[in-house]
Every structure is written in structure tokens, then in C-alpha cells.
């Protein structure tokens, strides 16, 4: 069994299950034809390297109000890039500059999801799911909000300066949800997280996963990515260290199985 799981394989697995099919963005393998198709149907799209992590190799592509084409994001080296292009086809040339020599990188294309706080800054939720005694449990969740300058590309990644915060701060302060709405959203996030873990584990078993999830404009959880070897550094950045301690304790119990 393969031990690698790129973004494309993740998407195929998650969309085949009724548990998660409605909680993932429309996704396809990147090529120029698919890019033009997605751009004709969505306000913006993301092109992502299938294997890269830490916010590298992700580009948001969109049209400005005056009809210009624009893209911004991070190269595979993690360097910020922001550029206007005359035509969508020009982005393809930038993404695959050595295609004529037979060299192509592996990318996917996804429908853009407006997972944004009230101030317009992008946010994402990390859900850490762990298997304890054969049952999937939520070790913890935290929110990540991108810096003001990330509004262009909408990428909320801690390696690119996103601010880490508790779920209560994210939902109560930045999204202005009341207690009932918060409870409903948290229940949905937990259900989607557990469902994703069950599905991915059926083909690529691990003891824990880090699931990055956004909320669309209706508060519906949308799975962005499943991390196979999740770090827990983000939990240590939250003032209350209870979740970080819980994840460590579950890891200790896992080792005792």
C-alpha cells in the first residue's frame, strides 16, 4: 500500500464518500483546459501543488473588477508572488516554464471558497483527529487568520504569518457567532473531521491526522486538506495549553496500546 497521499488522491477519496462529498471544493487535475473551465464558473480558483505543504505552491487566480486577470500566492520555494497577466493562458506558462522540455509539476485546481472573517481576512481551522482504542476522537481545534496583506491570495497558513487563536475567539469575535450558532458549527466541524479521518484511514491508515477546514459564507465546513503527519506547534501558541496537553496525553495512551 502506498504511503503517500497527495491532494488529488485526497479529493478522489473524500468525494467518493457520502460522508464528505458535500464538504469538499470541486477539484480537478490542473491543465489549461480545466483552468479556463473553472475560471468561467467561479469568482476565483486555487491552483495547488499536489505534494507541497506549509503554504508553498499555492496560487489564487481571479479577475479584478476592471476585467484584468490576476494571480497571487506562494511559489514552491515559499516566496510570495503577485502578478497581473494579460490572459489566463499566461499563468500556465508561468506555472510550467519548462513544459516544452518535458518537465511538468503536479498541480490540482480547486473552486475558491470564501472562508473569510468579518474584516475580510482569510481564516482556516486546524482539526487534530486521533485514534484512541479504535475510536476516532478530536484532540483539539484552533483557528488561523491570515494577515491583512493576505486578503489578495486568501491563504491562512502559520508558515506565512497567520495568527493562531482559540476556536472561541475565532467564532465569537472574528465571526460574531452567538452561542447557538457556535455550537452548531462546532458539531459540524467535529462530524466532518471524524468522517474525513475514517475515509482517509480506510486507504492510508495513520494514528492521527491534521485536517484543514474552512467555513463558507453559510457556515458550512469545507475540507481544504488532510495532513498525514500533523505537527501540534499551533496548539502551543494558544494561551490555554489544555488542548496541547490533551493531544500529548492521547499520544501517550496510543503508545500504551
Amino acid at each position: 500500500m502506498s504511503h503517500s497521499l497527495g491532494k488529488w488522491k485526497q479529493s478522489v477519496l473524500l468525494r467518493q464518500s457520502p460522508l464528505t462529498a458535500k464538504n469538499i471544493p470541486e477539484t480537478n487535475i490542473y491543465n489549461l483546459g480545466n483552468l479556463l473551465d473553472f475560471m468561467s464558473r467561479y469568482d476565483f480558483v486555487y491552483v495547488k501543488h499536489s505534494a507541497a505543504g506549509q503554504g508553498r505552491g499555492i496560487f489564487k487566480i481571479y479577475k479584478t473588477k476592471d476585467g484584468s486577470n490576476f494571480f497571487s500566492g506562494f511559489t514552491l520555494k515559499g516566496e510570495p508572488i503577485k502578478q497581473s497577466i494579460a490572459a489566463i493562458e499566461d499563468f500556465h506558462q508561468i506555472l510550467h516554464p519548462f513544459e516544452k522540455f518535458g518537465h511538468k509539476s503536479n498541480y490540482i485546481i480547486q473552486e475558491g471558497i470564501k472562508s473569510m472573517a468579518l474584516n475580510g481576512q482569510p481564516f482556516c481551522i486546524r482539526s487534530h483527529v486521533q485514534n484512541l482504542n479504535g475510536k476516532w476522537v478530536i484532540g483539539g481545534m484552533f483557528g488561523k487568520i491570515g494577515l491583512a496583506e493576505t486578503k489578495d491570495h486568501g491563504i491562512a497558513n502559520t508558515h506565512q504569518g497567520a495568527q493562531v487563536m482559540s476556536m472561541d475567539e475565532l467564532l465569537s469575535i472574528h465571526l460574531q457567532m452567538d452561542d447557538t450558532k457556535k455550537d452548531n458549527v462546532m458539531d459540524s466541524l467535529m462530524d466532518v473531521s471524524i468522517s474525513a479521518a475514517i475515509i482517509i484511514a480506510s486507504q492510508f491508515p495513520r494514528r492521527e491526522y491534521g485536517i484543514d477546514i474552512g467555513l463558507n459564507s453559510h457556515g458550512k465546513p469545507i475540507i481544504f486538506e488532510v495532513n498525514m503527519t500533523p505537527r501540534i506547534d499551533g496548539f502551543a501558541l494558544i494561551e490555554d495549553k489544555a488542548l496541547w496537553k490533551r493531544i500529548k496525553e492521547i499520544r501517550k495512551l496510543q503508545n500504551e496500546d
Side-chain angles (χ1 to χ4, degrees):
M1 182 179 291
S2 172
H3 292 286
S4 63
L5 182 62
K7 295 179 179 66
W8 174 243
K9 289 181 181 178
Q10 287 184 23
S11 172
V12 171
L13 277 176
L14 294 170
R15 76 179 179 213
Q16 286 176 344
S17 171
L19 292 174
T20 52
K22 295 180 180 179
N23 298 94
I24 60 171
E26 182 182 355
T27 306
N28 209 336
I29 293 173
Y30 172 84
N31 59 45
L32 181 56
N34 287 338
L35 175 60
L36 291 169
D37 171 49
F38 273 54
M39 288 295 293
S40 71
R41 294 187 289 115
Y42 296 113
D43 292 338
F44 63 96
V45 303
Y46 282 102
V47 172
K48 304 178 179 180
H49 192 275
S50 189
Q54 301 179 347
R56 294 176 289 114
I58 301 180
F59 309 91
K60 177 183 178 181
I61 311 169
Y62 57 98
K63 284 187 178 293
T64 58
K65 291 180 180 179
D66 64 3
S68 302
N69 299 295
F70 204 86
F71 77 91
S72 60
F74 297 92
T75 68
L76 282 172
K77 293 182 178 179
E79 299 164 344
I81 185 170
K82 183 176 178 180
Q83 192 170 327
S84 177
I85 47 178
I88 296 299
E89 289 83 353
D90 294 335
F91 173 76
H92 182 77
Q93 294 301 316
I94 293 169
L95 196 66
H96 293 299
F98 306 112
E99 183 175 21
K100 61 184 177 182
F101 301 113
H103 300 294
K104 283 182 68 175
S105 295
N106 187 17
Y107 288 89
I108 63 166
I109 181 170
Q110 283 188 333
E111 158 197 4
I113 301 296
K114 295 178 180 178
S115 182
M116 293 184 292
L118 296 180
N119 63 4
Q121 290 173 224
F123 75 87
C124 181
I125 295 158
R126 165 57 62 93
S127 179
H128 194 94
V129 189
Q130 297 172 282
N131 193 295
L132 182 60
N133 299 322
K135 181 181 179 180
W136 289 103
V137 298
I138 306 295
M141 292 186 195
F142 65 79
K144 300 177 282 186
I145 287 193
L147 302 173
E149 56 266 30
T150 63
K151 290 182 180 180
D152 275 339
H153 54 65
I155 301 168
N157 188 285
T158 53
H159 290 88
Q160 310 298 347
Q163 178 189 356
V164 171
M165 64 191 63
S166 69
M167 288 300 297
D168 186 62
E169 181 179 350
L170 174 66
L171 300 181
S172 298
I173 298 175
H174 294 277
L175 298 178
Q176 293 286 293
M177 292 184 183
D178 59 28
D179 289 343
T180 300
K181 179 67 172 176
K182 280 195 300 180
D183 289 344
N184 290 338
V185 167
M186 287 299 295
D187 286 344
S188 296
L189 286 166
M190 288 189 284
D191 288 345
V192 167
S193 299
I194 297 295
S195 296
I198 290 170
I199 293 158
I200 297 298
S202 69
Q203 298 294 321
F204 297 85
R206 295 288 190 276
R207 295 198 302 182
E208 57 186 25
Y209 301 99
I211 305 174
D212 289 329
I213 306 172
L215 297 176
N216 68 13
S217 56
H218 303 292
K220 178 181 177 179
I222 304 294
I223 301 169
F224 291 153
E225 184 176 353
V226 178
N227 296 274
M228 306 292 282
T229 54
R231 299 167 63 105
I232 62 172
D233 309 42
F235 290 97
L237 298 176
I238 301 172
E239 186 175 352
D240 183 354
K241 300 296 188 292
L243 294 178
W244 182 82
K245 291 176 181 176
R246 171 179 161 82
I247 293 170
K248 296 282 284 186
E249 182 61 29
I250 292 174
R251 284 181 172 179
K252 189 181 299 183
L253 293 171
Q254 287 174 330
N255 291 330
E256 293 174 359
D257 285 349

